């Protein structure tokens, strides 16, 4: 796989190292001359000095032969233009951009960037998902973070014990997919009642995740 | 869109081009909002011509564009010195907020074809100046 990384700093250095260890060919574009020589010495990447939002520089970096382009400069506008140029001018299918403004994740996607990710979003959701909820474990995200899968153990003080799923007014867009009780697995139906110490496998969206957890555990998230 | 009708225009960037546009268009009776990342840039707006609004903020931030009521705009002009900011804000205006008329100033002539590909009308002063100089040279090679 041939991959182009645009940006600077430690993140580009470590990304290049990780990609090399996976056997990818890495090209880096950086607009600071000293940083380019440092990256060229420290990594096996092909390093191109210049402004990657200039179509000519993208051509010099052989963008047309890349399988993926990753734009991680500190400027959202530059990352957008780099990804769009790579796609439209050089036919790169997979483009990934770092965004500062979490709102831009959606905007970039609409404008044709394959994947946009925001550090703000990643860190804030990590904090939301971890703080003070030791009875909530094993969370992972699917579909680029659009769906969360979480395990929740119902404590003795949960407000929803002995309620059947039919009666349970679970917030919209969430689902109790599976119940683990005394070592056996139950795929719940409407009549299934919830017991203390039930281990629930829960499907939620990032928007209602906190709300659903609060509903099930009664704790103030 | 007729030329005599009062338009709601968002001008992004209040440098030489942005302030000139904002002053002239406001003086012609259009409703103008100017967005710039630095509040000192607004000093270039002259009170006898400009009667619009000023918003301090980064135009690549969706919240700032919403604050400028970009969804209500008839026209959005990207006039900052950073053509990528112009291109990004213009695309958001056009694709997300369906602004009917959007155009940007770019510096690098190499980006003209890119702007066409993403459907953004662009003005490149570099190309215009070169063409004008070449034409003048052909008409009057000696003078």
């Amino acid at each position: 796989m041939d991959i182009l990384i645009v940006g600077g700093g430690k993140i580009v250095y470590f990304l290049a190292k990780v990609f090399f260890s996976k056997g990818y060919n890495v090209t880096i574009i950086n607009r600071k001359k000293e940083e380019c020589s440092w990256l060229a010495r420290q990594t096996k990447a092909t390093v191109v000095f210049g402004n990657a939002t200039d179509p000519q520089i993208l051509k010099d970096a052989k963008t047309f032969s890349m399988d993926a382009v990753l734009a991680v400069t500190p400027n959202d506008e530059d990352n957008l233009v780099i990804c769009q140029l790579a796609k439209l001018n050089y036919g790169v299918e997979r483009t990934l951009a770092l965004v500062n403004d979490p709102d831009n994740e959606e905007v970039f996607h609409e404008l044709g960037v394959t994947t946009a990710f925001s550090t703000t979003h990643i860190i804030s959701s990590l904090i939301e998902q971890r703080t003070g909820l030791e009875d909530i474990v094993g969370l992972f995200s699917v579909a680029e973070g659009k769906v969360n899968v979480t395990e929740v153990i119902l404590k003795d003080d949960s407000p929803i014990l002995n309620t059947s799923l039919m009666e349970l007014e679970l917030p919209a867009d969430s689902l109790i997919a599976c119940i683990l009780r005394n070592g056996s697995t139950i795929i719940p139906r409407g009549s299934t009642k919830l017991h203390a110490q039930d281990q629930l496998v829960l499907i939620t969206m990032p928007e209602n995740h906190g709300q659903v957890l609060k509903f099930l555990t009664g704790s103030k998230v | 869109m007729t030329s005599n009708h009062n338009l709601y225009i968002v001008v992004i960037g209040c440098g030489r081009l942005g302030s000139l546009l904002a002053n002239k268009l406001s003086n012609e009776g259009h409703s103008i909002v100017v967005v710039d990342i630095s509040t000192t840039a607004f000093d270039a707006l002259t009170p006898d011509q400009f009667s619009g609004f000023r918003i301090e903020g980064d135009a690549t931030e969706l919240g700032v564009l919403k604050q400028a009521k970009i969804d209500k705009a008839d026209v959005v002009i990207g006039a900052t010195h950073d053509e990528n900011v112009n291109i990004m804000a213009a695309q958001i205006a056009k694709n997300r907020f369906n602004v009917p008329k959007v155009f940007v100033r770019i510096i690098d002539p190499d980006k003209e074809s890119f702007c066409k590909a993403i459907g953004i009308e662009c003005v490149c002063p570099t190309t215009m100046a070169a063409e004008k100089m070449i034409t003048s040279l052909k008409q009057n090679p000696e003078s």
Side-chain angles (χ1 to χ4, degrees):
Chain A
M1 176 137 120
D2 293 331
I3 187 159
L4 172 67
I5 311 174
V6 182
K10 286 275 157 66
I11 181 169
V12 169
Y13 166 71
F14 285 110
L15 281 172
K17 276 180 60 170
V18 169
F19 290 146
F20 263 109
S21 69
K22 291 179 193 286
Y24 302 167
N25 296 314
V26 180
T27 304
I28 299 172
I29 303 180
N30 185 294
R31 61 202 303 180
K32 287 187 190 144
K33 208 162 191 172
E34 320 83 78
E35 211 171 318
C36 284
S37 16
W38 182 78
L39 283 165
R41 281 198 307 275
Q42 299 293 326
T43 68
K44 286 180 229 154
T46 307
V47 181
V48 176
F49 163 59
N51 177 356
T53 71
D54 176 348
Q56 205 56 47
I57 297 290
L58 285 174
K59 198 174 163 192
D60 290 348
K62 298 194 167 56
T63 304
F64 45 83
S65 69
M66 295 298 162
D67 298 301
V69 169
L70 176 57
V72 292
T73 81
N75 304 314
D76 290 7
E77 65 277 12
D78 293 346
N79 293 339
L80 174 69
V81 169
I82 291 160
C83 288
Q84 290 187 316
L85 278 170
K87 187 179 172 190
L88 295 169
N89 285 22
Y90 303 106
V92 178
E93 295 215 345
R94 287 183 66 197
T95 55
L96 299 95
L98 175 70
V99 299
N100 289 297
D101 182 353
D103 289 345
N104 281 339
E105 277 185 36
E106 201 186 317
V107 173
F108 277 34
H109 202 74
E110 284 171 13
L111 297 177
V113 177
T114 322
T115 308
F117 50 96
S118 119
T119 327
T120 320
H121 190 178
I122 294 169
I123 295 173
S124 68
S125 59
L126 277 177
I127 288 174
E128 258 168 46
Q129 288 157 5
R130 301 288 173 190
T131 37
L133 296 165
E134 62 284 356
D135 47 346
I136 297 163
V137 287
L139 180 132
F140 64 95
S141 296
V142 288
E144 292 172 342
K146 290 192 190 78
V147 180
N148 290 330
V149 182
T150 323
E151 284 176 42
V152 184
I153 299 168
L154 293 183
K155 288 196 167 170
D156 299 335
D157 60 355
S158 162
I160 53 153
L161 298 180
N162 302 317
T163 318
S164 72
L165 290 191
M166 221 168 354
E167 298 159 337
L168 198 66
E169 287 173 7
L170 200 64
D173 295 325
S174 61
L175 176 73
I176 296 173
C178 179
I179 302 171
L180 303 170
R181 183 180 296 160
N182 303 324
S184 61
T185 311
I186 304 163
I187 302 292
R189 297 177 161 272
S191 58
T192 310
K193 288 190 174 179
L194 298 169
H195 298 176
Q197 300 307 318
D198 274 359
Q199 197 175 338
L200 311 181
V201 177
L202 194 66
I203 296 181
T204 58
M205 314 281 157
E207 303 80 49
N208 65 14
H209 185 72
Q211 190 196 352
V212 175
L213 289 182
K214 196 167 157 182
F215 178 80
L216 294 175
T217 62
S219 63
K220 288 173 186 58
V221 182
Chain B
M1 209 186 320
T2 51
S3 58
N4 52 2
H5 141 245
N6 179 299
L7 297 171
Y8 179 35
I9 304 173
V10 177
V11 178
I12 294 162
C14 194
R16 290 191 189 90
L17 177 65
S19 60
L20 187 66
L21 282 166
N23 284 331
K24 279 184 185 279
L25 291 167
S26 182
N27 200 32
E28 282 177 18
H30 298 295
S31 309
I32 312 291
V33 171
V34 189
V35 181
D36 199 288
I37 200 160
S38 139
T39 166
T40 54
F42 298 132
D43 295 348
L45 299 169
T46 51
D48 56 327
Q49 288 185 303
F50 184 79
S51 56
F53 291 93
R54 304 159 171 85
I55 290 177
E56 182 190 354
D58 184 342
T60 65
E61 211 182 304
L62 203 59
V64 171
L65 294 177
K66 283 181 182 163
Q67 202 189 334
K69 299 201 169 55
I70 199 164
D71 54 321
K72 304 272 191 312
D74 301 301
V75 184
V76 170
I77 306 176
T80 77
H81 59 84
D82 185 334
E83 60 197 7
N84 297 335
V85 170
N86 299 342
I87 289 169
M88 177 168 165
Q91 287 187 83
I92 295 175
K94 181 173 189 269
N95 299 339
R96 197 179 173 94
F97 296 107
N98 302 313
V99 177
K101 174 92 177 162
V102 168
F103 51 99
V104 297
R105 183 259 302 264
I106 60 169
I107 313 290
D108 183 355
D110 279 354
K111 280 213 186 100
E112 280 179 287
S113 63
F114 169 64
C115 285
K116 282 199 189 88
I118 55 172
I120 299 293
E121 194 180 326
C122 70
V123 176
C124 180
T126 319
T127 313
M128 286 168 71
E131 278 165 6
K132 193 142 195 179
M133 287 173 186
I134 291 167
T135 313
S136 161
L137 209 63
K138 280 179 183 157
Q139 283 164 350
N140 279 321
E142 299 303 324
S143 66

